[in-house]
Amino acid sequence: MTAPAGNRRWVVVTLVFCAIMLNYVDRQILALLKPTLEVEFTWSDQDYGNMVSAFQFAAAIAFLGTGWFIDRVGLRIGFALGVAVWSVAGMAHAFATTVAGFVGARVVLGAAESIGTPGAVKSAATYFKQKDRSIALGIGNTAPNIGAILTPLAIPALAAAFGWRAAFLVAGGLGLVWVVAWFRVRLPPPLPDTEGSAPIRWGALFRDRRTLAIAIAKVLSDQVWFFMLSWLPDLFHRLFGLAQGQVGLPVAIVYVLAACGALSGGWLPTRLIARGWSVDRARKSTLLLYALLILPVPVVLSLQSPWTASLILGLGLFAHQGFSTNVFALTTDVMPARSVGSTIGIAAFCGNMGSIFMIQLSAWSLGHGWGYTPMLLICAFSYLAALGVIQLLIPRIAPAR
């Protein structure tokens, strides 16, 4: 029996959730296995920083095409192809033996995983009306956090039992299973005026103040997320002396709180709009709240307890995910659905390129004795800056025509 179209919308949300969760499992494995791999292959912090930067650069370049690609080809084919390629690339890490080999695998992984963000946001714009999009995006935006929770809990144990190569093979294999499930599901019909017309020309998007606002907000927020994703296990190791087998639970706590932030980011503006607030007031008030919540992050430098640090850092990523959910929702507020994928692709390109600066700054700072102080200070104030740019370029949020 075929499920009603309304129910099938939530099946799509569930499948998108699973895909993005696996996306973040694949990308986070390297950070968790860093202590083991750097001993086996004699990596330096700069070697690791270069691998992560290669991933970010490949993803950034690919974002320029994947947003356009998924607008043109559609969710069915575009999403499946992206997941299949990134799963195979994740498995390829198991066969790498040199820095160049890992860099090559990271490049393909980053390029293919770029399909996830525009695909997830476009699914919300295609199948959900404005009043439900924040909820759908909030659910979808918890997926990276669930992946980031499960990975530190499962991967070190899997690597200890079966070797580090098994961790890459298992995670990649799950992605191929997802592709089979995706093709077995019948997608619901799109909402009117979301399909069947060509995306807006990219020249028009680049000249649009709304695109610029979203892109700058992504740069300022993504640099924090990718810094945490890449260096958080190492931060706990350096600041609190935790071994690889001990960092899993503190890191998982951070991402549990991040997942709650993503859900709250969808719930809060929806409730405010239901109480009669305008979309502009609800969205920007929510963004301000999250921008203030991340300010205490540098306090972890003075703490003695990794558990207290995990709560402070968790509050920071709670704020990031709530903020990020509303940047995505802002895109669906102000941009036509047919161009959402392209807009997010452009913004994600900018966000990934900007995050390379933070990743390289981390490697440089650690190598020159500055520790994590510069990066944590940047994390604290990035979101207030991003909100200021949004207010300047989009003084009033109005629904897209």
Side-chain angles (χ1 to χ4, degrees):
M1 173 183 278
T2 302
N7 293 337
R8 281 186 278 139
R9 293 185 307 156
W10 296 105
V11 172
V12 170
V13 169
T14 301
L15 285 171
V16 170
F17 176 95
C18 292
I20 303 303
M21 180 183 69
L22 291 172
N23 181 309
Y24 275 80
V25 171
D26 286 330
R27 72 172 64 185
Q28 199 188 10
I29 293 176
L30 190 67
L32 284 161
L33 298 182
K34 177 178 179 286
T36 297
L37 295 174
E38 68 184 0
V39 170
E40 181 167 340
F41 298 110
T42 62
W43 293 348
S44 66
D45 284 322
Q46 190 61 59
D47 288 332
Y48 174 72
N50 291 340
M51 292 177 202
V52 179
S53 295
F55 174 95
Q56 297 300 132
F57 182 77
I61 296 301
F63 270 125
L64 290 176
T66 51
W68 172 88
F69 175 74
I70 208 160
D71 277 340
R72 290 285 184 174
V73 174
L75 290 168
R76 171 72 81 180
I77 300 299
F79 227 148
L81 184 60
V83 176
V85 173
W86 90 50
S87 299
V88 172
M91 297 171 76
H93 286 69
F95 305 100
T97 56
T98 64
V99 170
F102 278 97
V103 168
R106 299 307 284 178
V107 165
V108 179
L109 182 69
E113 286 196 344
S114 67
I115 202 76
T117 300
V121 178
K122 187 175 179 66
S123 69
T126 301
Y127 299 118
F128 290 86
K129 296 180 180 179
Q130 187 179 54
K131 66 184 181 67
D132 295 323
R133 284 178 191 163
S134 290
I135 295 295
L137 287 166
I139 294 171
N141 215 27
T142 62
N145 307 289
I146 300 302
I149 293 165
L150 295 177
T151 308
L153 295 177
I155 293 303
L158 181 62
F162 302 102
W164 62 266
R165 290 179 173 85
F168 288 109
L169 293 173
V170 170
L174 290 174
L176 297 179
V177 172
W178 181 93
V179 173
V180 174
W182 178 251
F183 277 120
R184 289 183 62 86
V185 169
R186 182 166 171 245
L187 298 182
L191 295 176
D193 301 323
T194 62
E195 295 285 336
S197 56
I200 293 175
R201 294 181 180 275
W202 272 46
L205 286 178
F206 279 115
R207 293 190 299 270
D208 196 315
R209 290 162 62 94
R210 298 169 298 181
T211 304
L212 180 60
I214 294 161
I216 295 175
K218 286 291 286 178
V219 169
L220 292 170
S221 57
D222 277 9
Q223 65 179 357
V224 177
W225 174 253
F226 287 116
F227 159 69
M228 293 284 189
L229 197 69
S230 302
W231 293 96
L232 199 56
D234 186 73
L235 183 150
F236 278 103
H237 172 69
R238 290 176 188 262
L239 292 186
F240 305 105
L242 300 184
Q244 178 178 299
Q246 298 173 311
V247 301
L249 188 55
V251 170
I253 289 172
V254 172
Y255 288 107
V256 167
L257 292 172
C260 295
L263 288 174
S264 72
W267 174 83
L268 180 57
T270 301
R271 290 293 301 164
L272 293 176
I273 292 170
R275 291 170 66 101
W277 288 34
S278 68
V279 173
D280 182 79
R281 183 186 177 197
R283 190 76 67 208
K284 289 177 180 174
S285 297
T286 302
L287 289 169
L288 176 61
L289 172 64
Y290 292 122
L292 295 174
L293 287 179
I294 201 169
L295 290 176
V297 159
V299 171
V300 302
L301 295 167
S302 63
L303 298 177
Q304 301 298 316
S305 168
W307 307 108
T308 306
S310 68
L311 294 176
I312 296 295
L313 291 167
L315 178 64
L317 286 194
F318 175 96
H320 165 84
Q321 287 295 76
F323 194 97
S324 180
T325 296
N326 279 274
V327 171
F328 288 144
L330 171 65
T331 308
T332 67
D333 288 337
V334 300
M335 303 301 293
R338 69 182 188 275
S339 65
V340 163
S342 296
T343 304
I344 289 294
I346 293 169
F349 163 78
C350 297
N352 275 261
M353 291 297 288
S355 68
I356 294 174
F357 165 78
M358 276 286 273
I359 291 165
Q360 289 295 321
L361 175 63
S362 301
W364 180 90
S365 182
L366 294 170
H368 288 78
W370 289 88
Y372 281 102
T373 301
M375 290 73 74
L376 292 176
L377 289 173
I378 291 172
C379 292
F381 294 99
S382 285
Y383 297 83
L384 285 173
L387 179 56
V389 170
I390 290 171
Q391 178 59 31
L392 178 66
L393 296 177
I394 310 177
R396 179 179 176 273
I397 296 172
R401 293 181 179 179

